[in-house]
Amino acid sequence: VQLQASGGGLVQAGGSLRLSCAASGITGPINIMGWYRQTPGNQRELVANIASDGRTYYGRTYYDDSRKGRFTISRDGAENTIYLQMSSLKPEDTAVYYCFADRPLGAQRFWGQGTQVTVSS
């Protein structure tokens, strides 16, 4: 089982990035996939997740951002690939972004390796 995250990098404030996370080698169903992010010295916090039926959930901190279109999660269910479109990036968005995938009912969670996002002011 492998989750390959990509799309991170260095961007100026106000710019955009699109993170991708592709799951491979997974047999059996995957339900929820999503993104956490982590800054040094802090716990990982949920950015957003998306279920196999397309329902989305944004972490409390990011709900307003999602309404403004700053963070948008999407999924290609056929490929077990998710995306996180991030716009109007701010320096405080600098973090390592981790993707995850859950079995139904949370029976098992798989993690990707993390991708660094750095937003310069």
Side-chain angles (χ1 to χ4, degrees):
V1 173
Q2 184 175 18
L3 294 179
Q4 183 66 45
S6 61
L10 174 64
V11 64
Q12 288 189 333
S16 300
L17 283 175
R18 188 193 193 207
L19 306 184
S20 300
C21 176
S24 61
I26 295 178
T27 57
I30 290 293
N31 184 13
I32 294 173
M33 298 181 69
W35 296 93
Y36 278 76
R37 77 181 192 186
Q38 186 173 27
T39 54
N42 294 306
Q43 292 184 334
R44 292 184 188 182
E45 58 176 358
L46 177 69
V47 178
N49 62 42
I50 184 167
S52 56
D53 62 4
R55 287 178 296 172
T56 59
Y57 175 83
Y58 291 86
R60 180 179 301 178
T61 306
Y62 307 98
Y63 178 75
D64 287 342
D65 288 325
S66 71
R67 296 295 300 272
K68 297 173 185 175
R70 217 168 71 79
F71 287 86
T72 303
I73 190 169
S74 60
R75 179 169 180 167
D76 180 344
E79 300 295 330
N80 271 335
T81 299
I82 60 170
Y83 307 94
L84 184 66
Q85 179 68 47
M86 304 186 293
S87 305
S88 301
L89 284 164
K90 306 173 183 179
E92 51 263 44
D93 294 319
T94 295
V96 179
Y97 287 71
Y98 295 92
C99 64
F100 71 92
D102 286 346
R103 294 288 193 197
L105 303 179
Q108 189 175 10
R109 171 166 286 183
F110 306 100
W111 286 99
Q113 83 282 12
T115 185
Q116 175 71 47
V117 171
T118 303
V119 185
S120 63
S121 56

